[in-house]
Amino acid sequence: MRSDLSVIYDMTKNCPWNCAICCMGATPDRDRCGDELTLGEKMQVVENLAEANQIRKVRVDFSGGEIFTDPDNVRVVEYAAKLLGRENVGISTSGYRLDDAMAKRLSGCISDCEMTMDTVPGTRYPLRPDGYASAAAKAVPFLKKYGITTGIQTVLAHSNCNAGNLQALYEWLCLHEVDAWSILRFYPSGRGAAYPEERIGKEEEAWAVGFITEMGKANGSVGKPKIDFHYTMKGHGKYSEECRCVKKSIGVMPDGEVTACFWAVDAETGIIDSKYRLGNLKEERLTDMLRGGKAAYWLDCHHTCGLGAA
């Protein structure tokens, strides 16, 4: 039986926000975005994913940077839905430029959309620029209108991991009928590596998992958001210490580089260690990479997630 493979395709490094803790070093300066693939090359990436779907069941999440900085990126998402099926395609966005017309168009090619909100809209937060949470908030009703499963991801760092903020976030999500709440602890990836003090420890993490779980249990509403903790966070049923590189997921960078771990990225969006690099889709087929020796290293390797360890 084919095993599932989650592919995070960061289509662009361009982003209007310039977040302090950006996990891939995205920038509003197009001149610093590096060797991003052309539209035709992005289409070829999708064809690579469709070919790999014959040996691994592929699910792709298009991300960035901010994918809507280039309207042509939507054409790539639509092509993926055609080849892989709408149910196997999702996007991650800040909500930038996501209006009624865009949501209507997306409804034909994605199953879900996830946006990041670390504090309730209107709250000053040192790790994100002003207006960041509000962009996601404005996009929620458009996504809901067209039946797109709408998720909010919260990155838990020292600056927002407290009862007042988490309760306010949960109440906001319930009020606006958000479908899913994804909880992820802060990773020192990309520009985030410059903020090691924001990394939460095991005790703080365990408290947060317990606090959020209890809020969910106490809410008897049918329409409450589904709570989903990242697999590396202890205290819930999905917890696992096993590294998922290649076994469960891979990443594709804006320049076509393929990484065994989409977190293994530095502040300039480069892969931090050659052991994570599987190849480049401008030069190789993804099926060959997945059958090659570099992928075999991760498939045969049984260890805990080094990047996720606190």
Side-chain angles (χ1 to χ4, degrees), residues 59-286:
R59 146 86 192 194
V60 59
D61 183 78
F62 292 96
S63 186
E66 171 52 68
I67 63 175
F68 296 126
T69 52
D70 184 351
D72 278 345
N73 284 336
V74 185
R75 295 170 58 187
V76 183
V77 177
E78 290 171 331
Y79 192 42
K82 179 180 178 181
L83 298 188
L84 295 171
R86 172 183 175 274
E87 68 280 6
N88 295 312
V89 179
I91 64 169
S92 295
T93 174
S94 64
Y96 176 74
R97 290 181 176 170
L98 210 167
D99 56 11
D100 187 273
M102 180 59 74
K104 183 177 181 179
R105 184 176 177 182
L106 289 171
S107 67
C109 60
I110 67 170
S111 64
D112 56 90
C113 174
E114 186 171 73
M115 299 176 288
T116 299
M117 190 181 290
D118 296 331
T119 60
V120 292
T123 303
R124 294 297 302 272
Y125 184 53
L127 303 182
R128 303 285 186 190
D130 291 346
Y132 185 80
S134 296
K138 290 177 182 177
V140 167
F142 297 127
L143 296 165
K144 297 290 295 180
K145 176 181 177 180
Y146 292 102
I148 299 170
T149 299
T150 304
I152 291 293
Q153 181 182 85
T154 296
V155 180
L156 290 182
H158 278 307
S159 292
N160 70 339
C161 190
N162 58 76
N165 180 58
L166 295 179
Q167 184 170 346
L169 269 171
Y170 185 64
E171 290 174 354
W172 190 96
L173 299 177
C174 292
L175 178 65
H176 293 84
E177 299 181 332
V178 171
D179 298 302
W181 189 19
S182 175
I183 315 298
L184 170 73
R185 73 173 127 104
F186 169 69
Y187 276 67
S189 176
R191 276 200 297 271
Y195 294 84
E197 71 279 4
E198 289 291 347
R199 197 169 186 169
I200 62 174
K202 289 296 182 183
E203 290 186 7
E204 195 171 6
E205 174 187 309
W207 170 84
V209 171
F211 183 80
I212 293 168
T213 300
E214 288 305 312
M215 281 197 297
K217 288 180 179 179
N219 185 352
S221 171
V222 175
K224 66 182 180 181
K226 177 185 176 182
I227 296 173
D228 182 30
F229 295 101
H230 191 257
Y231 78 94
T232 59
M233 298 181 69
K234 287 186 177 181
H236 62 97
K238 201 171 74 172
Y239 170 72
S240 171
E241 293 187 352
E242 179 67 21
C243 172
R244 297 192 175 192
C245 288
V246 185
K247 299 182 184 72
K248 293 288 186 180
S249 61
I250 60 171
V252 180
M253 298 291 100
D255 60 358
E257 289 281 282
V258 180
T259 173
C261 176
F262 46 81
W263 293 108
V265 178
D266 62 27
E268 297 301 321
T269 324
I271 299 174
I272 61 173
D273 190 308
S274 60
K275 71 179 182 180
Y276 291 103
R277 184 182 183 274
L278 301 182
N280 191 297
L281 288 173
K282 293 173 71 173
E283 304 162 354
E284 305 168 67
R285 296 161 61 216
L286 183 58

Side-chain angles (χ1 to χ4, degrees), residues 22-49:
C22 179
C23 63
M24 64 171 288
T27 173
D29 184 354
R30 285 190 179 275
D31 292 336
R32 293 182 55 218
C33 287
D35 188 22
E36 182 177 321
L37 299 182
T38 65
L39 175 60
E41 289 170 335
K42 291 175 184 179
M43 296 294 197
Q44 289 174 2
V45 169
V46 172
E47 291 168 359
N48 262 276
L49 298 180

